[in-house]
Amino acid sequence: MNNANNARVYKMSFAGVYPHYIQKAEKKGRTKEEVDTIICWLTGYNQQALQHQIDNKTNFEAFFAEAPQLNPNVSKITGVICGYRVEDIEDPLMQKVRYLDKLIDELAKGKAMDKILRK
């Protein structure tokens, strides 16, 4: 993954991508609540803080920089997303973005919430 591409992703509004996460989940019979649960699990945001980030159209860089606490179990998130193994992505911010993509993917593929949340 090249740095120009990474920079483009970082400047993308989280609020702009968020509806796509929900759409992807709902197409497969999952819910917005489940998407929110995953995002809050990953980032440490509560529902109110998450909504604040969405309302402020925060970009991905700030979204993760301001996240209260990345879940200590993120190291258990493994596998391929967009052709890259998430555990091998060297750029820490891009890795967090791809962790989120991977979790939403798992939700859309019908995985149980306990498995997605690495319980």
Side-chain angles (χ1 to χ4, degrees):
M1 215 173 277
N2 67 36
N3 288 338
N5 196 20
N6 288 4
R8 196 176 56 84
V9 171
Y10 302 157
K11 300 298 176 215
M12 283 170 57
S13 159
F14 175 78
V17 178
Y18 178 69
H20 297 284
Y21 292 147
I22 293 168
Q23 188 179 30
K24 184 173 188 171
E26 287 179 342
K27 253 198 241 165
K28 300 291 186 173
R30 304 306 285 259
T31 65
K32 173 189 181 295
E33 289 71 27
E34 288 174 308
V35 170
D36 289 353
T37 298
I38 287 170
I39 295 169
C40 292
W41 175 87
L42 179 64
T43 60
Y45 285 116
N46 62 25
Q47 193 62 49
Q48 188 180 359
L50 174 60
Q51 191 57 54
H52 177 76
Q53 294 290 352
I54 293 165
D55 294 344
N56 285 349
K57 303 209 179 336
T58 307
N59 67 26
F60 270 101
E61 193 168 16
F63 179 78
F64 281 108
E66 295 168 15
Q69 185 191 356
L70 202 61
N71 193 292
N73 284 334
V74 295
S75 61
K76 294 181 180 175
I77 302 170
T78 58
V80 176
I81 187 87
C82 301
Y84 296 92
R85 291 205 71 76
V86 288
E87 60 271 31
D88 295 339
I89 296 173
E90 288 181 10
D91 183 298
L93 180 55
M94 183 52 71
Q95 189 175 46
K96 291 172 192 164
V97 172
R98 295 302 181 205
Y99 280 152
L100 182 53
D101 290 344
K102 181 74 179 154
L103 295 173
I104 300 298
D105 249 28
E106 290 178 358
L107 181 68
K109 286 181 177 154
K111 245 190 179 181
M113 282 300 280
D114 276 358
K115 283 215 167 83
I116 296 169
L117 303 181
R118 307 307 193 253
K119 294 196 171 154

